Amino acid sequence: MTTDSSARRSPERRRGDIAELILSQGTVTAAELSARFDVSLMTIHRDLDELERQGIVRKYRGGVTAQPSGVFESNVAYRMKSMVAAKDAIAEQAAALVEPGMAVMLDDSTTALALARRLTGVGPLTVVTNFLPAINLLAGERDIRLMALGGDHDPLHDSFLGVSCVDAIEALNVDLCFVSTSAVSGGFAYHQEQHIVSVKRVMIRAAARSVLLIDHTKLNRVALHRVVPLSALDLVIVDDGADAGSLRELDEQKVTYEVARGGGDAE
């Protein structure tokens, strides 16, 4: 990425380059952005205000980040690039649970999207999801009956949420539900946002069996809202980057879990 006069003349292009940089690095300061793009701090803060309004980044004192906190979820574009090897390993393990003829529900997590990529060829299947990337991925697959959950489109998550989505899920009964959350600690799964929590809870209730897909970076962390106790889930799948202490805590909570090999620490 280089700075040139055309980038300075075009705020939209500059904001796009700023967003790309933040999504790749995770966190950067306003001063660094000002120097890199050769514009004033005031201009950078206006750019960041607009990117924050769009839900792409989150400002904090002195800088900006795409990384999650206990209160804010990451933009889906950042999550797509994060812990890819771990998510693929988890998805590979989860795919072994899916059998032809099942009805499967996927939430709007990027780990569930990795699982969706492995469902082609397994059919016939019914797949239910509110995640637009998964809908686009599976639309037109001959052996998959795709049910797209409606609601209000949320650009931050690229998914459909709200009362309409919850109502649609409550009318269903699926064989398997796969969800992910932002944090796991003390026998509970957590997420930062209330409107996401309500959808995940009803998805879990709509399934005969529910599976939590969680990479190791989310273990021993908390977020603002409790989603469900881990006892409400039938299985937790983690990658092999999880340390012994984290797995011991799952054992102490009497959680049924599997460790997916091949995830490691790579992102």
Side-chain angles (χ1 to χ4, degrees):
M1 186 188 308
T2 60
T3 301
D4 56 31
S5 59
S6 63
R8 292 195 296 272
R9 286 196 302 269
S10 171
E12 289 187 5
R13 177 177 170 182
R14 184 180 61 248
R15 288 168 190 157
D17 288 344
I18 290 171
E20 181 182 339
L21 178 66
I22 296 167
L23 291 173
S24 64
Q25 292 190 189
T27 301
V28 66
T29 68
E32 289 170 340
L33 292 172
S34 176
R36 181 170 186 126
F37 292 95
D38 193 22
V39 294
S40 69
L41 274 173
M42 184 177 295
T43 297
I44 287 296
H45 280 295
R46 283 198 296 265
D47 290 339
L48 297 180
D49 286 342
E50 175 59 23
L51 293 174
E52 186 174 48
R53 186 191 67 78
Q54 296 173 22
I56 297 172
V57 301
R58 174 173 53 86
K59 290 180 69 178
Y60 64 93
R61 186 176 181 85
V64 64
T65 184
Q67 296 178 353
S69 72
V71 179
F72 297 98
E73 170 68 304
S74 296
N75 177 277
V76 66
Y78 180 78
R79 290 188 286 123
M80 289 281 194
K81 299 176 181 179
S82 175
M83 301 304 299
V84 173
K87 291 172 183 177
D88 282 341
I90 292 167
E92 193 71 29
Q93 186 103 353
L97 301 173
V98 181
E99 299 177 0
M102 281 185 167
V104 178
M105 186 176 291
L106 307 176
D107 74 351
D108 59 356
S109 65
T110 52
T111 312
L113 180 63
L115 173 58
R117 297 189 186 104
R118 290 159 171 79
L119 296 183
T120 57
V122 178
L125 291 174
T126 296
V127 178
V128 183
T129 185
N130 66 328
F131 196 22
L132 188 55
I135 292 168
N136 291 334
L137 174 71
L138 298 176
E141 288 293 328
R142 186 173 59 183
D143 291 336
I144 291 179
R145 178 193 179 199
L146 179 62
M147 296 180 65
L149 296 166
D152 297 322
H153 181 254
D154 185 317
L156 175 64
H157 302 91
D158 205 9
S159 62
F160 298 93
L161 303 167
V163 173
S164 298
C165 183
V166 169
D167 287 347
I169 297 167
E170 286 180 332
L172 299 174
N173 184 16
V174 299
D175 298 296
L176 272 173
C177 173
F178 295 95
V179 300
S180 186
T181 60
S182 302
V184 167
S185 182
F188 287 88
Y190 293 85
H191 199 277
Q192 300 95 328
E193 294 159 289
Q194 189 172 5
H195 63 300
I196 298 289
V197 169
S198 61
V199 171
K200 291 183 188 290
R201 282 177 178 168
V202 74
M203 282 183 165
I204 291 167
R205 290 198 298 267
R209 293 186 68 209
S210 54
V211 182
L212 179 67
L213 311 176
I214 197 92
D215 74 70
H216 69 275
T217 65
K218 299 173 181 178
L219 297 173
N220 294 320
R221 290 177 54 187
V222 296
L224 184 60
H225 299 283
R226 286 182 176 180
V227 182
V228 290
L230 297 183
S231 59
L233 300 153
D234 295 282
L235 178 66
V236 175
I237 302 179
V238 300
D239 66 282
D240 58 5
D243 61 36
S246 298
L247 297 180
R248 185 165 55 251
E249 180 175 335
L250 294 178
D251 287 327
E252 290 171 354
Q253 297 291 337
K254 299 184 174 9
V255 175
T256 301
Y257 68 89
E258 296 177 2
V259 177
R261 304 297 172 185
D265 295 315
E267 295 190 13

